[in-house]
Amino acid sequence: MAPRNSINLNVILQAATEIVDTGGVEELSITSLAQKLDIRSPSLYNHFKGLPAIRKLLSIYGLEQLLNVLIRAAIGRSGDEAIREMAKAYVAFARSHPGLYEVTLLAAGPQEPDSQEVGQEIVDLVTQVLKVYQLEEKDAIHMARALRSILHGFASLEQKGGFGLPFDLDISLQTIIDTFLAGLHVRLSQTAH
């Protein structure tokens, strides 16, 4: 058994991430988590109140990890370059943490203020990157939603094996983002007149 003082919430979340990334969200249970940590199941209740609580905490943790990845991708970049790098980083996160990425989708909902706060930080980051295009606030939100929809759709289809043809997925992603950016530029030129 692991010494009790080595178990903290961060260690638990990392172990839970390993479980969901390798076996899927369904594999996460109090028993599987305790086995992964080499502790007895009741010890976990010192840190959270049951499986729904750990899933909520893991979801928020996943959103925080995604936010950090997106921030690193955006730093020192602007405009099209920032969007391209953030898109690559988003999909890379989903690829490297398929279970954690799936759990982040469970976080949404007005009844979850902590996840709403991190989700808002992601939206704020994207709309900040979009400021270079001089969009009105509502248009920036629509573009952020469009970009998220594209990236989530791509990541989800890839995870579920939806791209069966033998073509490079990174080139497909680049094509999609280039098309999004081309559409954004056309829209901007139309509103400028």
Side-chain angles (χ1 to χ4, degrees):
M1 296 273 168
R4 279 183 188 251
N5 61 4
S6 67
I7 301 297
N8 60 43
L9 188 56
N10 193 47
V11 170
I12 292 169
L13 290 171
Q14 289 173 5
T17 297
E18 290 177 28
I19 291 169
V20 298
D21 281 347
T22 57
V25 176
E26 308 78 33
E27 291 298 314
L28 181 62
S29 67
I30 299 297
T31 302
S32 67
L33 192 52
Q35 287 173 345
K36 179 81 173 168
L37 293 165
D38 195 27
I39 61 173
R40 292 186 297 160
S41 297
S43 300
L44 290 170
Y45 291 98
N46 293 327
H47 303 280
F48 55 87
K49 297 178 182 182
L51 189 57
I54 190 62
R55 283 191 172 163
K56 175 186 170 189
L57 292 169
L58 187 60
S59 179
I60 294 165
Y61 174 78
L63 286 171
E64 290 169 343
Q65 298 307 304
L66 178 58
L67 174 62
N68 290 335
V69 162
L70 294 174
I71 288 170
R72 284 193 304 272
I75 288 177
R77 298 177 174 94
S78 66
D80 291 3
E81 181 189 13
I83 290 174
R84 282 188 184 96
E85 292 304 313
M86 288 173 63
K88 287 191 269 185
Y90 185 103
V91 171
F93 176 82
R95 286 174 178 166
S96 63
H97 293 290
L100 186 59
Y101 176 72
E102 186 179 343
V103 171
T104 65
L105 302 174
L106 305 175
Q111 70 280 11
E112 302 295 344
D114 293 338
S115 62
Q116 287 288 318
E117 184 178 322
V118 180
Q120 186 61 51
E121 288 181 54
I122 293 172
V123 171
D124 292 346
L125 173 64
V126 174
T127 55
Q128 183 69 32
V129 168
L130 289 168
K131 279 190 176 184
V132 73
Y133 300 102
Q134 299 178 342
L135 297 167
E136 291 184 23
E137 183 180 357
K138 67 179 177 66
D139 291 330
I141 295 295
H142 293 309
M143 286 296 139
R145 286 178 176 170
L147 184 60
R148 178 182 183 213
S149 298
I150 289 166
L151 296 174
H152 172 65
F154 187 92
S156 295
L157 283 168
E158 183 177 11
Q159 282 186 349
K160 303 295 182 200
F163 298 126
L165 298 175
F167 294 98
D168 188 319
L169 291 174
D170 291 331
I171 293 173
S172 295
L173 177 62
Q174 181 180 333
T175 302
I176 292 167
I177 297 305
D178 287 347
T179 303
F180 168 81
L181 290 169
L184 175 59
H185 288 286
V186 167
R187 183 179 174 105
L188 292 172
S189 68
Q190 290 173 345
T191 58
H193 291 110

mmCIF file of all heavy atoms in Angstrom, residues 53-80:
data_model
loop_
_atom_site.group_PDB
_atom_site.id
_atom_site.type_symbol
_atom_site.label_atom_id
_atom_site.label_comp_id
_atom_site.label_asym_id
_atom_site.label_seq_id
_atom_site.Cartn_x
_atom_site.Cartn_y
_atom_site.Cartn_z
ATOM 1 N N ALA A 53 -18.558 12.735 -7.990
ATOM 2 C CA ALA A 53 -17.683 13.845 -7.588
ATOM 3 C C ALA A 53 -16.324 13.751 -8.279
ATOM 4 O O ALA A 53 -15.799 14.769 -8.753
ATOM 5 C CB ALA A 53 -17.507 13.864 -6.075
ATOM 6 N N ILE A 54 -15.766 12.542 -8.370
ATOM 7 C CA ILE A 54 -14.459 12.425 -9.029
ATOM 8 C C ILE A 54 -14.602 12.702 -10.517
ATOM 9 O O ILE A 54 -13.716 13.303 -11.127
ATOM 10 C CB ILE A 54 -13.773 11.058 -8.759
ATOM 11 C CG1 ILE A 54 -12.316 11.069 -9.253
ATOM 12 C CG2 ILE A 54 -14.496 9.926 -9.442
ATOM 13 C CD1 ILE A 54 -11.413 12.056 -8.601
ATOM 14 N N ARG A 55 -15.706 12.304 -11.116
ATOM 15 C CA ARG A 55 -15.913 12.613 -12.545
ATOM 16 C C ARG A 55 -16.013 14.117 -12.772
ATOM 17 O O ARG A 55 -15.467 14.639 -13.736
ATOM 18 C CB ARG A 55 -17.155 11.906 -13.072
ATOM 19 C CG ARG A 55 -16.891 10.431 -13.313
ATOM 20 C CD ARG A 55 -17.995 9.786 -14.073
ATOM 21 N NE ARG A 55 -17.594 8.420 -14.426
ATOM 22 C CZ ARG A 55 -18.420 7.490 -14.805
ATOM 23 N NH1 ARG A 55 -19.700 7.760 -14.917
ATOM 24 N NH2 ARG A 55 -17.970 6.296 -15.091
ATOM 25 N N LYS A 56 -16.701 14.797 -11.873
ATOM 26 C CA LYS A 56 -16.812 16.255 -11.985
ATOM 27 C C LYS A 56 -15.427 16.893 -11.834
ATOM 28 O O LYS A 56 -15.041 17.748 -12.636
ATOM 29 C CB LYS A 56 -17.764 16.799 -10.914
ATOM 30 C CG LYS A 56 -17.841 18.307 -10.902
ATOM 31 C CD LYS A 56 -18.681 18.810 -9.743
ATOM 32 C CE LYS A 56 -18.548 20.300 -9.601
ATOM 33 N NZ LYS A 56 -19.167 20.810 -8.387
ATOM 34 N N LEU A 57 -14.685 16.476 -10.828
ATOM 35 C CA LEU A 57 -13.343 17.017 -10.619
ATOM 36 C C LEU A 57 -12.425 16.699 -11.797
ATOM 37 O O LEU A 57 -11.636 17.537 -12.225
ATOM 38 C CB LEU A 57 -12.741 16.466 -9.329
ATOM 39 C CG LEU A 57 -13.397 16.933 -8.028
ATOM 40 C CD1 LEU A 57 -12.880 16.116 -6.843
ATOM 41 C CD2 LEU A 57 -13.155 18.419 -7.821
ATOM 42 N N LEU A 58 -12.549 15.491 -12.347
ATOM 43 C CA LEU A 58 -11.741 15.100 -13.490
ATOM 44 C C LEU A 58 -12.110 15.920 -14.719
ATOM 45 O O LEU A 58 -11.241 16.300 -15.505
ATOM 46 C CB LEU A 58 -11.898 13.598 -13.760
ATOM 47 C CG LEU A 58 -10.986 13.007 -14.824
ATOM 48 C CD1 LEU A 58 -9.512 13.186 -14.444
ATOM 49 C CD2 LEU A 58 -11.313 11.530 -15.033
ATOM 50 N N SER A 59 -13.374 16.209 -14.865
ATOM 51 C CA SER A 59 -13.835 17.023 -15.980
ATOM 52 C C SER A 59 -13.238 18.433 -15.920
ATOM 53 O O SER A 59 -12.734 18.962 -16.916
ATOM 54 C CB SER A 59 -15.363 17.088 -15.958
ATOM 55 O OG SER A 59 -15.834 17.879 -16.996
ATOM 56 N N ILE A 60 -13.266 19.019 -14.749
ATOM 57 C CA ILE A 60 -12.688 20.353 -14.557
ATOM 58 C C ILE A 60 -11.179 20.302 -14.775
ATOM 59 O O ILE A 60 -10.609 21.165 -15.449
ATOM 60 C CB ILE A 60 -13.050 20.909 -13.164
ATOM 61 C CG1 ILE A 60 -14.566 21.154 -13.076
ATOM 62 C CG2 ILE A 60 -12.271 22.189 -12.864
ATOM 63 C CD1 ILE A 60 -15.079 21.356 -11.667
ATOM 64 N N TYR A 61 -10.544 19.270 -14.241
ATOM 65 C CA TYR A 61 -9.105 19.066 -14.435
ATOM 66 C C TYR A 61 -8.788 18.973 -15.929
ATOM 67 O O TYR A 61 -7.835 19.583 -16.419
ATOM 68 C CB TYR A 61 -8.678 17.806 -13.690
ATOM 69 C CG TYR A 61 -7.248 17.379 -13.904
ATOM 70 C CD1 TYR A 61 -6.208 18.019 -13.251
ATOM 71 C CD2 TYR A 61 -6.956 16.304 -14.744
ATOM 72 C CE1 TYR A 61 -4.889 17.609 -13.435
ATOM 73 C CE2 TYR A 61 -5.644 15.887 -14.926
ATOM 74 C CZ TYR A 61 -4.618 16.545 -14.275
ATOM 75 O OH TYR A 61 -3.317 16.133 -14.465
ATOM 76 N N GLY A 62 -9.586 18.220 -16.674
ATOM 77 C CA GLY A 62 -9.388 18.086 -18.117
ATOM 78 C C GLY A 62 -9.530 19.415 -18.840
ATOM 79 O O GLY A 62 -8.731 19.743 -19.727
ATOM 80 N N LEU A 63 -10.530 20.192 -18.466
ATOM 81 C CA LEU A 63 -10.698 21.518 -19.075
ATOM 82 C C LEU A 63 -9.507 22.418 -18.771
ATOM 83 O O LEU A 63 -9.049 23.171 -19.636
ATOM 84 C CB LEU A 63 -11.993 22.178 -18.584
ATOM 85 C CG LEU A 63 -13.292 21.628 -19.152
ATOM 86 C CD1 LEU A 63 -14.493 22.225 -18.412
ATOM 87 C CD2 LEU A 63 -13.386 21.903 -20.651
ATOM 88 N N GLU A 64 -9.008 22.330 -17.542
ATOM 89 C CA GLU A 64 -7.824 23.128 -17.178
ATOM 90 C C GLU A 64 -6.612 22.711 -18.010
ATOM 91 O O GLU A 64 -5.839 23.556 -18.456
ATOM 92 C CB GLU A 64 -7.521 22.979 -15.686
ATOM 93 C CG GLU A 64 -8.545 23.657 -14.802
ATOM 94 C CD GLU A 64 -8.402 23.304 -13.324
ATOM 95 O OE1 GLU A 64 -7.725 22.293 -12.997
ATOM 96 O OE2 GLU A 64 -9.007 24.018 -12.495
ATOM 97 N N GLN A 65 -6.451 21.409 -18.211
ATOM 98 C CA GLN A 65 -5.329 20.917 -19.022
ATOM 99 C C GLN A 65 -5.475 21.387 -20.470
ATOM 100 O O GLN A 65 -4.499 21.814 -21.098
ATOM 101 C CB GLN A 65 -5.249 19.386 -18.966
ATOM 102 C CG GLN A 65 -5.012 18.812 -17.583
ATOM 103 C CD GLN A 65 -3.809 19.413 -16.883
ATOM 104 O OE1 GLN A 65 -2.707 19.385 -17.402
ATOM 105 N NE2 GLN A 65 -4.025 19.965 -15.709
ATOM 106 N N LEU A 66 -6.693 21.312 -21.007
ATOM 107 C CA LEU A 66 -6.946 21.778 -22.372
ATOM 108 C C LEU A 66 -6.666 23.275 -22.482
ATOM 109 O O LEU A 66 -6.013 23.726 -23.430
ATOM 110 C CB LEU A 66 -8.383 21.471 -22.788
ATOM 111 C CG LEU A 66 -8.803 21.948 -24.176
ATOM 112 C CD1 LEU A 66 -7.913 21.370 -25.275
ATOM 113 C CD2 LEU A 66 -10.278 21.604 -24.431
ATOM 114 N N LEU A 67 -7.114 24.051 -21.507
ATOM 115 C CA LEU A 67 -6.850 25.495 -21.503
ATOM 116 C C LEU A 67 -5.347 25.763 -21.527
ATOM 117 O O LEU A 67 -4.869 26.592 -22.309
ATOM 118 C CB LEU A 67 -7.480 26.150 -20.273
ATOM 119 C CG LEU A 67 -7.169 27.631 -20.055
ATOM 120 C CD1 LEU A 67 -7.675 28.485 -21.210
ATOM 121 C CD2 LEU A 67 -7.752 28.101 -18.724
ATOM 122 N N ASN A 68 -4.586 25.054 -20.704
ATOM 123 C CA ASN A 68 -3.134 25.257 -20.666
ATOM 124 C C ASN A 68 -2.481 24.933 -22.010
ATOM 125 O O ASN A 68 -1.583 25.650 -22.457
ATOM 126 C CB ASN A 68 -2.508 24.410 -19.554
ATOM 127 C CG ASN A 68 -2.876 24.910 -18.177
ATOM 128 O OD1 ASN A 68 -3.193 26.076 -17.990
ATOM 129 N ND2 ASN A 68 -2.859 24.022 -17.204
ATOM 130 N N VAL A 69 -2.942 23.870 -22.654
ATOM 131 C CA VAL A 69 -2.419 23.484 -23.965
ATOM 132 C C VAL A 69 -2.716 24.585 -24.994
ATOM 133 O O VAL A 69 -1.859 24.958 -25.798
ATOM 134 C CB VAL A 69 -3.031 22.131 -24.403
ATOM 135 C CG1 VAL A 69 -2.884 21.877 -25.884
ATOM 136 C CG2 VAL A 69 -2.407 20.997 -23.605
ATOM 137 N N LEU A 70 -3.930 25.118 -24.945
ATOM 138 C CA LEU A 70 -4.326 26.168 -25.900
ATOM 139 C C LEU A 70 -3.555 27.463 -25.648
ATOM 140 O O LEU A 70 -3.159 28.150 -26.597
ATOM 141 C CB LEU A 70 -5.831 26.409 -25.832
ATOM 142 C CG LEU A 70 -6.704 25.240 -26.285
ATOM 143 C CD1 LEU A 70 -8.185 25.555 -26.036
ATOM 144 C CD2 LEU A 70 -6.452 24.892 -27.742
ATOM 145 N N ILE A 71 -3.340 27.796 -24.393
ATOM 146 C CA ILE A 71 -2.567 29.000 -24.063
ATOM 147 C C ILE A 71 -1.146 28.878 -24.605
ATOM 148 O O ILE A 71 -0.634 29.801 -25.248
ATOM 149 C CB ILE A 71 -2.556 29.257 -22.535
ATOM 150 C CG1 ILE A 71 -3.931 29.731 -22.063
ATOM 151 C CG2 ILE A 71 -1.480 30.276 -22.163
ATOM 152 C CD1 ILE A 71 -4.086 29.785 -20.548
ATOM 153 N N ARG A 72 -0.518 27.722 -24.358
ATOM 154 C CA ARG A 72 0.842 27.517 -24.867
ATOM 155 C C ARG A 72 0.895 27.619 -26.393
ATOM 156 O O ARG A 72 1.849 28.143 -26.950
ATOM 157 C CB ARG A 72 1.404 26.171 -24.394
ATOM 158 C CG ARG A 72 1.840 26.192 -22.940
ATOM 159 C CD ARG A 72 2.668 24.972 -22.551
ATOM 160 N NE ARG A 72 2.032 23.700 -22.796
ATOM 161 C CZ ARG A 72 1.222 23.063 -21.954
ATOM 162 N NH1 ARG A 72 0.934 23.621 -20.786
ATOM 163 N NH2 ARG A 72 0.713 21.902 -22.255
ATOM 164 N N ALA A 73 -0.134 27.128 -27.056
ATOM 165 C CA ALA A 73 -0.169 27.187 -28.522
ATOM 166 C C ALA A 73 -0.334 28.613 -29.022
ATOM 167 O O ALA A 73 0.188 28.967 -30.082
ATOM 168 C CB ALA A 73 -1.304 26.311 -29.058
ATOM 169 N N ALA A 74 -1.038 29.439 -28.264
ATOM 170 C CA ALA A 74 -1.333 30.809 -28.705
ATOM 171 C C ALA A 74 -0.223 31.807 -28.368
ATOM 172 O O ALA A 74 -0.096 32.834 -29.039
ATOM 173 C CB ALA A 74 -2.648 31.274 -28.088
ATOM 174 N N ILE A 75 0.564 31.516 -27.360
ATOM 175 C CA ILE A 75 1.584 32.469 -26.897
ATOM 176 C C ILE A 75 2.536 32.823 -28.042
ATOM 177 O O ILE A 75 3.076 31.957 -28.721
ATOM 178 C CB ILE A 75 2.361 31.907 -25.696
ATOM 179 C CG1 ILE A 75 1.463 31.916 -24.465
ATOM 180 C CG2 ILE A 75 3.635 32.704 -25.430
ATOM 181 C CD1 ILE A 75 2.097 31.305 -23.233
ATOM 182 N N GLY A 76 2.717 34.128 -28.236
ATOM 183 C CA GLY A 76 3.654 34.626 -29.240
ATOM 184 C C GLY A 76 3.113 34.580 -30.665
ATOM 185 O O GLY A 76 3.849 34.872 -31.603
ATOM 186 N N ARG A 77 1.851 34.236 -30.804
ATOM 187 C CA ARG A 77 1.257 34.149 -32.135
ATOM 188 C C ARG A 77 -0.001 34.998 -32.185
ATOM 189 O O ARG A 77 -0.609 35.288 -31.161
ATOM 190 C CB ARG A 77 0.897 32.705 -32.462
ATOM 191 C CG ARG A 77 2.097 31.786 -32.503
ATOM 192 C CD ARG A 77 1.674 30.338 -32.761
ATOM 193 N NE ARG A 77 2.836 29.483 -32.930
ATOM 194 C CZ ARG A 77 3.394 28.795 -31.950
ATOM 195 N NH1 ARG A 77 2.897 28.855 -30.733
ATOM 196 N NH2 ARG A 77 4.454 28.041 -32.184
ATOM 197 N N SER A 78 -0.414 35.333 -33.396
ATOM 198 C CA SER A 78 -1.677 36.053 -33.541
ATOM 199 C C SER A 78 -2.317 35.664 -34.865
ATOM 200 O O SER A 78 -1.687 35.041 -35.725
ATOM 201 C CB SER A 78 -1.458 37.571 -33.483
ATOM 202 O OG SER A 78 -0.711 37.992 -34.607
ATOM 203 N N GLY A 79 -3.583 36.018 -34.986
ATOM 204 C CA GLY A 79 -4.303 35.816 -36.236
ATOM 205 C C GLY A 79 -4.337 34.367 -36.688
ATOM 206 O O GLY A 79 -4.495 33.438 -35.888
ATOM 207 N N ASP A 80 -4.170 34.189 -37.991
ATOM 208 C CA ASP A 80 -4.265 32.858 -38.594
ATOM 209 C C ASP A 80 -3.281 31.869 -37.967
ATOM 210 O O ASP A 80 -3.631 30.716 -37.719
ATOM 211 C CB ASP A 80 -4.004 32.936 -40.102
ATOM 212 C CG ASP A 80 -5.104 33.659 -40.873
ATOM 213 O OD1 ASP A 80 -6.060 34.163 -40.244
ATOM 214 O OD2 ASP A 80 -5.001 33.724 -42.119
#
